[in-house]
Amino acid sequence: MDREALLLDGGRDDGDETRDTAALAVELLGADGWRVTHLALREIEIAPCFGCFGCWVRTPGVCVIDDAGRDVARRMVQSDLLVYLTPLTFGGYSSELKKAVDRLIPNILPFFQSIDGEVHHVKRYERYPRLVAIGVAPSGPVDPEDEELFETLVHRNAINYRAPSAAACVIAASDDDAVRRDRIARVLEVDAGGGS
Amino acid sequence: MSDATKHVVLLVGSPKGLEKSRSSRLARPVVDGLERRGWTSESLHLHAEVATEEGRERLLGAVDRADLILFAAPLYVDSLPAPAIRGLELIAARQRTDGVERAPRFVSILCCGFVEPSQNDTCQRILQRFADQAGFEWVTGVSLGGGGPISKRARSALGILTEALDLEILVPDEVDRLTRKPAMPRWLYIIGGNVMWRRWAKEYDARDRLRDRPYRRPDS
């Protein structure tokens, strides 16, 4: 069976911030044998989560909002690899990426358990995808503080969304193609191919 | 307080709005306390404001008038709810584009659904980066965990915070000390929470379906 990758592209406005990086990630994954679904979230209407917990206590496992957010949640669980792509936004995710991430909570159970000395939610499914996140610093060099914060956020998300493993990297929009290709290939754990 | 009247802008980043949200109920005593000390205030619900052009202009106008921005939101997956991030993106873009010279102070209050207030730490750092990058003066971030009504300790901390904000002095460590401790032991939170979810699901006749797996992979 093909390995499935879901790329959630949180580029804002016209998508200029992430378009090249998304294309590169799709190319690299495809060359490695992954079947990739690339969702440009700016083009998809997804209502914000309104924190009703209906997906836990009313329609367990399914968001009460009937829109594309449900499709994203389904695809997430059925993937082997989940890739977040986002313009680095105060060291975190853009609002475009976050509108989808917020709608993934049906995929965990409401019940609590202790994990490494903290309360977190129990798994709903047996398997979850590995999480990889790529942040694109829109201008200038990457600020090390932003980079460290982004990596922390991704690893925290991996705990809460029960990813078996996670990795993150930040690239600068100004990085040359070979550098970007190499960094993205490394975080995706695929071969960089002839471009590196 | 100096002679000039100060203005606080409350930005609420909870989908539940200005009236019903826990975020708003936590921040409101601070705003009320500042008003009693002669401040003026306005309150905006970010989810509503970012949804329309008119709202976005209202948001940016309010920020322009602020001496102090009080930001209150729930923790959503280690960060802010998407519309709250959208609000911050708009504010930061405007501050950068217009080269705004004023540097209002910025304070955040975050509340998470887990018992440990420390689970807000990553999001507080995101807010601090926002403040730095948007040209605001970061004052402090107050983090609260879940579990029951707003505690006496939290109320006390918010009172101390209000006084420090009014006097424009460093926020005493007491605020952090009063809010960093979980409201109850972890084991009790887990047991009590799990009972609560079952009861809640029973109201919707969904108790037996709580562990449903509607998106299970065909091969699992």
Side-chain angles (χ1 to χ4, degrees), chain A residues 166-187:
Chain A
C169 77
V170 176
I171 58 173
S174 55
D175 284 343
D176 68 42
D177 287 351
V179 170
R180 285 193 305 140
R181 174 178 284 270
D182 185 58
R183 294 214 66 192
I184 294 168
R186 260 191 289 156
V187 78

Side-chain angles (χ1 to χ4, degrees), chain A residues 1-2 4 12-13 48-53 56-63 70-71 73-75 77-80 88-96 98-102 105-107 109-114 117-127 143 145-146 148-149 152-153 156-158 160-161, chain B residues 15-16 47 75-90 92-93 96 113-116 118-123 125-134 186-187 189-198 200-207 209-220:
Chain A
M1 192 170 183
D2 285 343
E4 300 277 351
R12 295 167 292 214
D13 304 325
C49 170
F50 49 79
C52 69
F53 301 122
W56 284 342
V57 298
R58 196 170 177 173
T59 54
V62 179
C63 181
R70 285 184 179 177
D71 184 51
R74 179 182 56 78
R75 287 176 183 276
V77 171
Q78 297 182 355
S79 297
D80 302 288
L88 199 60
T89 306
F90 322 124
Y93 305 149
S94 70
S95 56
E96 287 292 347
K98 195 64 183 1
K99 74 182 183 187
V101 172
D102 288 345
I105 68 160
N107 290 342
L109 288 173
F111 301 122
F112 296 127
Q113 70 175 118
S114 181
E118 287 183 336
V119 175
H120 292 282
H121 292 286
V122 175
K123 288 180 176 183
R124 181 179 294 279
Y125 296 95
E126 289 164 13
R127 293 172 51 183
D143 184 317
E145 194 174 336
D146 278 347
E148 192 276 325
L149 177 53
T152 301
L153 174 63
R156 298 289 304 170
N157 273 192
N160 281 316
Y161 277 163
Chain B
K16 291 170 185 162
H47 289 59
L75 191 72
Y76 267 37
V77 204
D78 306 298
S79 178
L80 299 169
I85 297 176
R86 182 66 190 136
L88 299 186
E89 288 171 343
L90 291 166
R96 281 194 292 262
F114 299 124
V115 74
E116 303 92 358
S118 59
Q119 294 217 33
N120 294 298
D121 289 355
T122 305
C123 190
R125 289 182 61 201
I126 289 170
L127 285 165
Q128 189 166 1
R129 294 302 287 160
F130 159 76
D132 292 346
Q133 292 174 20
R186 188 174 300 118
W187 64 267
Y189 190 80
I190 291 172
I191 292 172
N194 291 348
V195 169
M196 178 203 70
W197 292 120
R198 288 192 184 90
W200 198 350
K202 197 175 174 187
E203 290 177 25
Y204 294 108
D205 202 21
R207 187 171 163 165
R209 293 183 287 115
L210 271 169
R211 292 177 185 271
D212 277 5
R213 295 174 173 179
Y215 302 144
R216 185 171 45 193
R217 295 165 64 123
D219 58 336
S220 66

Side-chain angles (χ1 to χ4, degrees), chain B residues 51-114:
Chain B
T52 65
E53 188 56 44
E54 208 176 49
R56 291 189 283 270
E57 283 176 18
R58 196 163 40 234
L59 169 63
L60 297 175
V63 170
D64 281 349
R65 289 186 289 275
D67 296 292
L68 171 69
I69 294 171
L70 179 58
F71 181 93
L75 191 72
Y76 267 37
V77 204
D78 306 298
S79 178
L80 299 169
I85 297 176
R86 182 66 190 136
L88 299 186
E89 288 171 343
L90 291 166
I91 293 167
R94 156 71 170 275
Q95 298 285 107
R96 281 194 292 262
T97 307
D98 290 6
V100 179
E101 288 181 10
R102 291 175 66 251
R105 290 182 293 157
F106 188 93
V107 176
S108 66
I109 300 175
L110 293 178
C111 184
C112 71
F114 299 124

